[in-house]
């Protein structure tokens, strides 16, 4: 995203005259901050949703006991930092650790897929919208010289 911020700001500022530069800058900053906050919230929900779903399946596949499953599910909010229940054998600990790690990777993968999709949509909208002058956007054809 860092390679897109400067060109986007330049595009916004060049799209308006000097009299509206302050308003354009303020709107650009406000939209940027709101989008950042919304993205963090949405990506967090996606991560938690996928992590929980994959973790539940991973615990079933690992054959975790009801007590071990309850202990780990109580630590879901810690994601990959979830602690293992005390007093389990090494084989069970390895299986549970792998289930937690796979759940985190699956959640991260989904977040990255959503990011890639949004970047693709952004590129598509830029391709469609940028490059047309104000008269072209309104359907006015410039006079030939």
């Amino acid at each position: 995203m860092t390679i897109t911020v400067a060109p986007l700001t330049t595009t916004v500022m060049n799209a308006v005259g000097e009299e509206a530069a302050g308003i354009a800058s303020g709107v650009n900053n406000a939209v940027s901050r709101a989008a950042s906050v919304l993205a963090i919230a949405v990506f967090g929900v996606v991560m938690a949703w996928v992590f929980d779903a994959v973790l539940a399946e991973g615990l079933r596949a690992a054959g975790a006991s009801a007590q071990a499953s309850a202990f780990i599910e109580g630590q879901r909010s810690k994601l990959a930092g979830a602690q293992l229940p005390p007093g389990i054998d090494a084989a069970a600990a390895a299986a549970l650790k792998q289930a937690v790690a796979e759940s985190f990777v699956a959640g991260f993968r989904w977040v990255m897929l959503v990011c890639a999709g949004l970047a693709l949509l952004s590129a598509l909208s830029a391709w469609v919208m940028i490059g047309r002058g104000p008269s072209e956007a309104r359907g006015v054809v410039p006079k030939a010289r």
Side-chain angles (χ1 to χ4, degrees):
M1 293 304 298
T2 57
I3 63 172
T4 63
V5 172
L8 176 61
T9 301
T10 301
T11 302
V12 168
M13 298 307 292
N14 287 338
V16 299
E18 284 184 30
E19 69 283 350
I23 294 170
S25 178
V27 170
N28 183 49
N29 285 330
V31 169
S32 174
R33 300 302 178 264
S36 295
V37 169
L38 182 62
I40 290 168
V42 170
F43 294 153
V45 167
V46 169
M47 179 66 171
W49 177 72
V50 173
F51 181 84
D52 290 349
V54 174
L55 181 62
E57 180 60 33
L59 292 175
R60 272 193 298 279
S65 68
Q67 295 151 327
S69 293
F71 184 88
I72 291 178
E73 287 184 12
Q75 306 239 337
R76 286 184 308 201
S77 64
K78 295 180 181 177
L79 299 173
Q83 301 295 317
L84 298 179
I88 60 172
D89 61 56
L96 295 178
K97 195 175 219 178
Q98 181 177 354
V100 170
E102 287 175 358
S103 300
F104 182 78
V105 169
F108 188 76
R109 184 176 295 126
W110 271 94
V111 168
M112 291 298 104
L113 286 172
V114 171
C115 286
L118 290 172
L120 184 63
L121 285 173
S122 297
L124 180 63
S125 68
W127 181 70
V128 169
M129 294 181 196
I130 295 178
R132 292 189 284 177
S135 60
E136 293 174 32
R138 291 190 304 263
V140 178
V141 179
K143 296 179 186 178
R145 294 183 188 221

